[in-house]
Amino acid sequence: MKSILCLIFSLVFMTTVFAQVETDMVDTNEGNQNFFGVQGYTVNNLVHFKDSWKDGSGFYATYGSISKSNHWSLIFQTGYFSFNANPDAGFTGDEHFEIIPLQVGTRYYITLDRFRPFLLAMSGLNIINAKYKVTVPDPDQEGVEEEIDIDGSEVKANFQVGLGLGILLFSNLEIEGQFKYNSHLIEPSLPYNITGLEYGVALNWHLR
């Protein structure tokens, strides 16, 4: 329930920001291309995070504005991701790990023709909801184990870089393929301990 409420709040917040950006944005002589998009992703986790959560899936809702004069774009996105526990992690009970990202970033389109390869960089915050139990050795008693119960939410920073290719199917409809590297900053001692490779497909609707 908390995840749903957080997602609703995120969508309302981002919609308000989008509207303000659209109002404040000054078009160049060549104008801007604005679009809304929906992206579906699978995530292959890496390094420390993979030891606990092997993979995940989710989606983004995206708003973007592309400058036709210099091929740079301003991108906002939010979404929802859920991760599957690694069987070797030793979790017990009903475990889940969910992320609601709030991100802003940019893309650089190499061309703005029918085929549109681009580079991207995003950064922002993750609303993280986690619940799981794990049994670990008791540091104070040799040979004794204790059960740790994790259940709560927190907000942490994130960033991602990647590349993609968009193909205009019609004047207003575009399909995209994307590949991204994620890094989510959780613990100061392990600054990149939630990392993953995202593979996704998106549909964008261009506003005219």
Side-chain angles (χ1 to χ4, degrees):
M1 184 63 181
K2 288 191 294 183
S3 300
I4 295 174
L5 292 176
C6 288
L7 180 56
I8 292 173
F9 173 79
S10 301
L11 290 172
V12 171
F13 173 79
M14 297 301 283
T15 300
T16 303
V17 173
F18 299 159
Q20 186 62 44
V21 170
E22 182 68 16
T23 300
D24 295 344
M25 187 170 294
V26 178
D27 285 354
T28 66
N29 291 332
E30 296 187 23
N32 297 321
Q33 289 184 349
N34 303 315
F35 67 89
F36 289 96
V38 177
Q39 310 168 21
Y41 278 89
T42 60
V43 185
N44 289 333
N45 295 324
L46 305 171
V47 198
H48 303 282
F49 193 43
K50 187 176 183 179
D51 295 339
S52 299
W53 307 93
K54 62 178 182 178
D55 54 28
S57 61
F59 72 90
Y60 292 108
T62 302
Y63 172 84
S65 185
I66 308 169
S67 171
K68 294 181 183 179
S69 62
N70 59 27
H71 294 199
W72 286 97
S73 67
L74 178 64
I75 305 292
F76 297 92
Q77 66 184 25
T78 185
Y80 173 83
F81 281 79
S82 179
F83 294 88
N84 301 310
N86 188 330
D88 297 330
F91 297 149
T92 60
D94 181 22
E95 71 278 345
H96 70 259
F97 193 99
E98 303 163 339
I99 290 178
I100 297 174
L102 298 171
Q103 296 179 319
V104 62
T106 187
R107 296 180 184 179
Y108 177 73
Y109 287 84
I110 298 172
T111 67
L112 288 176
D113 299 322
R114 183 179 183 86
F115 294 91
R116 301 179 166 201
F118 59 85
L119 305 175
L120 67 88
M122 304 291 294
S123 185
L125 299 174
N126 284 333
I127 301 172
I128 300 173
N129 297 310
K131 180 180 180 180
Y132 57 91
K133 295 180 180 179
V134 62
T135 301
V136 299
D138 189 331
D140 300 324
Q141 303 181 62
E142 186 176 351
V144 177
E145 294 184 332
E146 62 177 345
E147 186 175 71
I148 298 177
D149 189 356
I150 305 296
D151 186 2
S153 300
E154 58 183 347
V155 177
K156 297 292 184 178
N158 71 66
F159 74 86
Q160 59 183 211
V161 293
L163 50 85
L165 174 65
I167 302 174
L168 284 175
L169 302 178
F170 305 101
S171 60
N172 294 86
L173 184 63
E174 177 186 19
I175 187 171
E176 282 183 357
Q178 294 187 14
F179 171 78
K180 295 186 286 190
Y181 168 81
N182 275 326
S183 193
H184 306 290
L185 312 181
I186 301 298
E187 297 293 342
S189 60
L190 296 171
Y192 309 120
N193 66 331
I194 298 184
T195 58
L197 299 177
E198 287 187 8
Y199 310 85
V201 176
L203 283 176
N204 298 328
W205 181 258
H206 290 261
L207 307 177
R208 298 294 181 180

Short mmCIF file of all heavy atoms in Angstrom, two decimals, residues 41 106-108 117-122 159-165 177-182 197-198:
data_model
loop_
_atom_site.label_atom_id
_atom_site.label_comp_id
_atom_site.label_asym_id
_atom_site.label_seq_id
_atom_site.Cartn_x
_atom_site.Cartn_y
_atom_site.Cartn_z
N TYR A 41 11.28 -2.52 -18.55
CA TYR A 41 12.68 -2.92 -18.36
C TYR A 41 12.81 -4.23 -17.59
O TYR A 41 11.99 -4.55 -16.73
CB TYR A 41 13.45 -1.85 -17.57
CG TYR A 41 13.92 -0.71 -18.42
CD1 TYR A 41 13.12 0.40 -18.62
CD2 TYR A 41 15.17 -0.74 -19.03
CE1 TYR A 41 13.54 1.46 -19.40
CE2 TYR A 41 15.61 0.29 -19.81
CZ TYR A 41 14.79 1.41 -20.00
OH TYR A 41 15.21 2.44 -20.78
N THR A 106 19.47 14.08 -19.17
CA THR A 106 19.58 14.59 -20.54
C THR A 106 19.92 13.46 -21.49
O THR A 106 20.42 12.40 -21.10
CB THR A 106 20.66 15.69 -20.61
OG1 THR A 106 20.63 16.29 -21.91
CG2 THR A 106 22.06 15.11 -20.36
N ARG A 107 19.60 13.70 -22.75
CA ARG A 107 20.03 12.84 -23.85
C ARG A 107 20.69 13.72 -24.91
O ARG A 107 20.32 14.88 -25.08
CB ARG A 107 18.85 12.12 -24.51
CG ARG A 107 18.11 11.14 -23.64
CD ARG A 107 16.98 10.51 -24.44
NE ARG A 107 16.16 9.62 -23.62
CZ ARG A 107 15.10 8.97 -24.08
NH1 ARG A 107 14.72 9.13 -25.36
NH2 ARG A 107 14.40 8.18 -23.29
N TYR A 108 21.63 13.12 -25.63
CA TYR A 108 22.16 13.78 -26.83
C TYR A 108 21.87 12.88 -28.02
O TYR A 108 22.34 11.74 -28.09
CB TYR A 108 23.66 14.03 -26.73
CG TYR A 108 24.18 14.65 -28.01
CD1 TYR A 108 23.90 15.99 -28.31
CD2 TYR A 108 24.90 13.89 -28.93
CE1 TYR A 108 24.35 16.56 -29.48
CE2 TYR A 108 25.35 14.46 -30.12
CZ TYR A 108 25.07 15.79 -30.39
OH TYR A 108 25.50 16.35 -31.56
N PRO A 117 19.82 7.45 -32.89
CA PRO A 117 20.70 6.96 -31.81
C PRO A 117 21.00 8.09 -30.83
O PRO A 117 21.10 9.26 -31.22
CB PRO A 117 21.96 6.54 -32.57
CG PRO A 117 21.94 7.35 -33.83
CD PRO A 117 20.50 7.56 -34.19
N PHE A 118 21.13 7.72 -29.54
CA PHE A 118 21.38 8.76 -28.53
C PHE A 118 22.17 8.19 -27.36
O PHE A 118 22.21 6.99 -27.12
CB PHE A 118 20.06 9.37 -28.02
CG PHE A 118 19.11 8.38 -27.41
CD1 PHE A 118 19.20 8.01 -26.07
CD2 PHE A 118 18.10 7.80 -28.18
CE1 PHE A 118 18.31 7.11 -25.50
CE2 PHE A 118 17.20 6.90 -27.63
CZ PHE A 118 17.31 6.55 -26.29
N LEU A 119 22.81 9.11 -26.63
CA LEU A 119 23.48 8.83 -25.36
C LEU A 119 22.66 9.49 -24.25
O LEU A 119 22.03 10.53 -24.48
CB LEU A 119 24.89 9.39 -25.36
CG LEU A 119 25.81 8.93 -26.50
CD1 LEU A 119 27.14 9.67 -26.43
CD2 LEU A 119 26.03 7.43 -26.46
N LEU A 120 22.66 8.91 -23.05
CA LEU A 120 21.85 9.47 -21.97
C LEU A 120 22.57 9.43 -20.64
O LEU A 120 23.46 8.60 -20.40
CB LEU A 120 20.50 8.74 -21.87
CG LEU A 120 20.49 7.27 -21.43
CD1 LEU A 120 20.42 7.14 -19.91
CD2 LEU A 120 19.32 6.53 -22.05
N ALA A 121 22.17 10.33 -19.76
CA ALA A 121 22.64 10.36 -18.37
C ALA A 121 21.50 10.86 -17.51
O ALA A 121 20.88 11.88 -17.82
CB ALA A 121 23.86 11.26 -18.22
N MET A 122 21.20 10.15 -16.42
CA MET A 122 20.11 10.50 -15.52
C MET A 122 20.62 10.47 -14.08
O MET A 122 21.55 9.73 -13.75
CB MET A 122 18.95 9.52 -15.66
CG MET A 122 18.39 9.37 -17.06
SD MET A 122 17.51 10.82 -17.67
CE MET A 122 16.11 10.86 -16.53
N PHE A 159 22.19 7.27 -9.97
CA PHE A 159 22.49 7.81 -11.30
C PHE A 159 22.54 6.65 -12.29
O PHE A 159 22.67 5.48 -11.91
CB PHE A 159 23.81 8.59 -11.31
CG PHE A 159 25.06 7.75 -11.24
CD1 PHE A 159 25.64 7.21 -12.38
CD2 PHE A 159 25.66 7.50 -10.01
CE1 PHE A 159 26.80 6.44 -12.30
CE2 PHE A 159 26.82 6.73 -9.92
CZ PHE A 159 27.38 6.21 -11.08
N GLN A 160 22.41 6.97 -13.57
CA GLN A 160 22.51 5.96 -14.62
C GLN A 160 23.04 6.61 -15.90
O GLN A 160 22.81 7.80 -16.15
CB GLN A 160 21.18 5.27 -14.88
CG GLN A 160 20.06 6.18 -15.29
CD GLN A 160 18.72 5.47 -15.46
OE1 GLN A 160 17.91 5.89 -16.27
NE2 GLN A 160 18.47 4.43 -14.69
N VAL A 161 23.76 5.82 -16.67
CA VAL A 161 24.25 6.24 -17.98
C VAL A 161 23.93 5.13 -18.97
O VAL A 161 23.80 3.96 -18.60
CB VAL A 161 25.76 6.54 -17.96
CG1 VAL A 161 26.08 7.75 -17.11
CG2 VAL A 161 26.55 5.32 -17.47
N GLY A 162 23.80 5.50 -20.24
CA GLY A 162 23.47 4.47 -21.22
C GLY A 162 23.37 5.02 -22.62
O GLY A 162 23.80 6.14 -22.92
N LEU A 163 22.82 4.20 -23.48
CA LEU A 163 22.64 4.56 -24.87
C LEU A 163 21.36 3.92 -25.37
O LEU A 163 20.80 3.01 -24.75
CB LEU A 163 23.84 4.13 -25.72
CG LEU A 163 24.34 2.68 -25.58
CD1 LEU A 163 23.55 1.74 -26.50
CD2 LEU A 163 25.81 2.59 -25.91
N GLY A 164 20.88 4.41 -26.51
CA GLY A 164 19.64 3.88 -27.05
C GLY A 164 19.48 4.21 -28.52
O GLY A 164 20.28 4.95 -29.11
N LEU A 165 18.44 3.67 -29.10
CA LEU A 165 18.10 3.93 -30.49
C LEU A 165 16.60 4.07 -30.62
O LEU A 165 15.85 3.16 -30.22
CB LEU A 165 18.59 2.78 -31.40
CG LEU A 165 18.16 2.87 -32.87
CD1 LEU A 165 18.80 4.10 -33.54
CD2 LEU A 165 18.52 1.59 -33.61
N GLY A 177 14.80 1.28 -28.15
CA GLY A 177 15.52 0.27 -27.39
C GLY A 177 16.60 0.96 -26.58
O GLY A 177 17.26 1.88 -27.09
N GLN A 178 16.77 0.55 -25.31
CA GLN A 178 17.75 1.21 -24.45
C GLN A 178 18.56 0.19 -23.66
O GLN A 178 18.08 -0.89 -23.32
CB GLN A 178 17.05 2.16 -23.46
CG GLN A 178 16.37 3.34 -24.10
CD GLN A 178 15.86 4.32 -23.05
OE1 GLN A 178 16.23 4.26 -21.87
NE2 GLN A 178 15.00 5.23 -23.47
N PHE A 179 19.79 0.58 -23.38
CA PHE A 179 20.69 -0.20 -22.53
C PHE A 179 21.33 0.78 -21.55
O PHE A 179 21.91 1.79 -21.95
CB PHE A 179 21.77 -0.89 -23.36
CG PHE A 179 22.85 -1.54 -22.54
CD1 PHE A 179 22.62 -2.76 -21.92
CD2 PHE A 179 24.08 -0.93 -22.38
CE1 PHE A 179 23.62 -3.36 -21.15
CE2 PHE A 179 25.08 -1.52 -21.63
CZ PHE A 179 24.85 -2.74 -21.01
N LYS A 180 21.20 0.49 -20.22
CA LYS A 180 21.69 1.44 -19.22
C LYS A 180 22.41 0.72 -18.08
O LYS A 180 22.10 -0.42 -17.76
CB LYS A 180 20.50 2.23 -18.64
CG LYS A 180 19.80 3.12 -19.63
CD LYS A 180 18.73 3.99 -19.00
CE LYS A 180 17.50 3.21 -18.65
NZ LYS A 180 16.38 4.08 -18.24
N TYR A 181 23.36 1.44 -17.51
CA TYR A 181 24.03 1.01 -16.28
C TYR A 181 23.51 1.87 -15.14
O TYR A 181 23.51 3.10 -15.22
CB TYR A 181 25.54 1.17 -16.40
CG TYR A 181 26.26 1.02 -15.08
CD1 TYR A 181 26.54 -0.25 -14.58
CD2 TYR A 181 26.65 2.13 -14.33
CE1 TYR A 181 27.19 -0.40 -13.35
CE2 TYR A 181 27.29 1.99 -13.11
CZ TYR A 181 27.56 0.73 -12.63
OH TYR A 181 28.19 0.58 -11.42
N ASN A 182 23.07 1.23 -14.07
CA ASN A 182 22.54 1.91 -12.89
C ASN A 182 23.50 1.82 -11.73
O ASN A 182 24.17 0.81 -11.53
CB ASN A 182 21.22 1.26 -12.43
CG ASN A 182 20.03 1.80 -13.18
OD1 ASN A 182 20.01 2.97 -13.53
ND2 ASN A 182 19.06 0.96 -13.44
N LEU A 197 22.40 -3.74 -14.80
CA LEU A 197 22.29 -3.41 -16.21
C LEU A 197 20.82 -3.51 -16.60
O LEU A 197 20.19 -4.55 -16.38
CB LEU A 197 23.14 -4.38 -17.05
CG LEU A 197 24.64 -4.37 -16.75
CD1 LEU A 197 25.34 -5.42 -17.61
CD2 LEU A 197 25.25 -2.99 -17.00
N GLU A 198 20.29 -2.45 -17.17
CA GLU A 198 18.89 -2.40 -17.58
C GLU A 198 18.78 -2.56 -19.09
O GLU A 198 19.52 -1.93 -19.85
CB GLU A 198 18.25 -1.06 -17.19
CG GLU A 198 17.97 -0.90 -15.72
CD GLU A 198 17.19 0.38 -15.43
OE1 GLU A 198 16.73 1.04 -16.40
OE2 GLU A 198 17.03 0.71 -14.25
#
